[in-house]
């Protein structure tokens, strides 16, 4: 079956994020860090976030993962930089719906390039690859909220859910 023009466009954008990931690297000044693993695929991501005032001012990721997890992390950092933690949590929720095919179409634009990962809903085994970086951010934001202070690098495996 031939890919539609839209699917070809989506594929091109995803490939671009995979081969030229945005915000890749380490953020020395981060006040939130986490390492999250996806054992089903072998993806490992270290996410570094700087929250200043009420905004996420910087986000960077490192680690190694498949093309979907890398593209998703790149897209995630692009869309959350400049947002408040609350706005970012809203976007995380929207992305988790997107990959299950449950996000209303009129909300897809909120997610920027990440909306192009909607096709992953057809490949359930890859959904965790796509959500890894978003769940990493969610954990950082929740812990910052709970503690009201800096959190250090923790290693966790992505549980089945
Ligand atoms: Zn993966």
């Amino acid at each position: 079956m031939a890919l539609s023009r839209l699917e070809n466009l989506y594929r091109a954008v995803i490939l671009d994020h995979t081969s030229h990931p945005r915000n890749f690297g380490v953020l020395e000044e981060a006040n939130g860090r986490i390492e999250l693993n996806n054992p089903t695929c072998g993806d490992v991501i270290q996410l570094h976030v700087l929250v200043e005032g009420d905004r996420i001012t910087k986000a960077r990721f490192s680690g190694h993962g498949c093309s979907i997890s890398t593209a998703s992390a790149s897209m995630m950092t692009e869309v959350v930089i400049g947002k408040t933690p609350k706005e970012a949590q809203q976007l995380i929720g929207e992305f988790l719906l997107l990959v299950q095919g449950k996000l209303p179409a009129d909300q897809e634009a909120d997610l920027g390039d990440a909306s192009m990962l909607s096709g992953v809903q057809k490949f359930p085994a890859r959904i965790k690859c796509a959500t890894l970086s978003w769940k990493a951010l969610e954990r950082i934001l929740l812990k910052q909220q709970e503690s009201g202070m800096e959190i250090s690098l923790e290693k966790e495996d992505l549980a089945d859910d």
Side-chain angles (χ1 to χ4, degrees):
M1 192 185 74
L3 291 172
S4 70
R5 287 173 73 171
L6 191 61
E7 282 173 319
N8 274 322
L9 169 69
Y10 282 17
R11 178 168 289 197
V13 173
I14 293 166
L15 273 175
D16 184 52
H17 278 274
T18 303
S19 42
H20 308 286
R22 322 295 197 263
N23 305 304
F24 188 82
V26 175
L27 195 59
E28 297 295 341
E29 66 268 42
N31 51 15
R33 304 168 201 269
I34 197 167
E35 178 175 300
L36 199 57
N37 304 319
N38 171 18
T40 18
C41 178
D43 308 313
V44 180
I45 184 180
Q46 289 103 29
L47 182 65
H48 312 252
V49 173
L50 179 64
V51 180
E52 292 178 294
D54 66 344
R55 301 272 156 188
I56 298 169
T57 52
K58 290 181 184 172
R60 271 191 214 155
F61 75 101
S62 54
H64 55 86
C66 65
S67 53
I68 303 254
S69 70
T70 303
S72 188
S74 170
M75 294 163 163
M76 182 276 291
T77 55
E78 273 204 319
V79 77
V80 301
I81 291 171
K83 300 289 194 301
T84 65
K86 200 178 166 194
E87 288 166 342
Q89 275 163 338
Q90 169 82 21
L91 291 171
I92 294 165
E94 290 184 3
F95 186 78
L96 298 182
L97 288 176
L98 177 86
V99 295
Q100 300 171 68
K102 294 179 184 164
L103 184 68
D106 63 350
Q107 290 178 40
E108 284 188 13
D110 297 351
L111 293 169
D113 284 357
S115 66
M116 297 188 189
L117 287 171
S118 60
V120 87
Q121 67 190 266
K122 295 182 207 151
F123 308 96
R126 309 307 299 280
I127 288 178
K128 279 206 221 167
C129 303
T131 58
L132 184 66
S133 56
W134 299 76
K135 293 200 166 172
L137 178 63
E138 184 176 46
R139 278 165 209 226
I140 289 175
L141 296 177
L142 283 175
K143 285 186 183 173
Q144 284 184 332
Q145 239 174 26
E146 283 166 9
S147 63
M149 50 193 273
E150 188 160 312
I151 69 159
S152 58
L153 185 66
E154 297 187 22
K155 296 191 182 194
E156 287 185 47
D157 287 342
L158 193 60
D160 287 310
D161 56 10

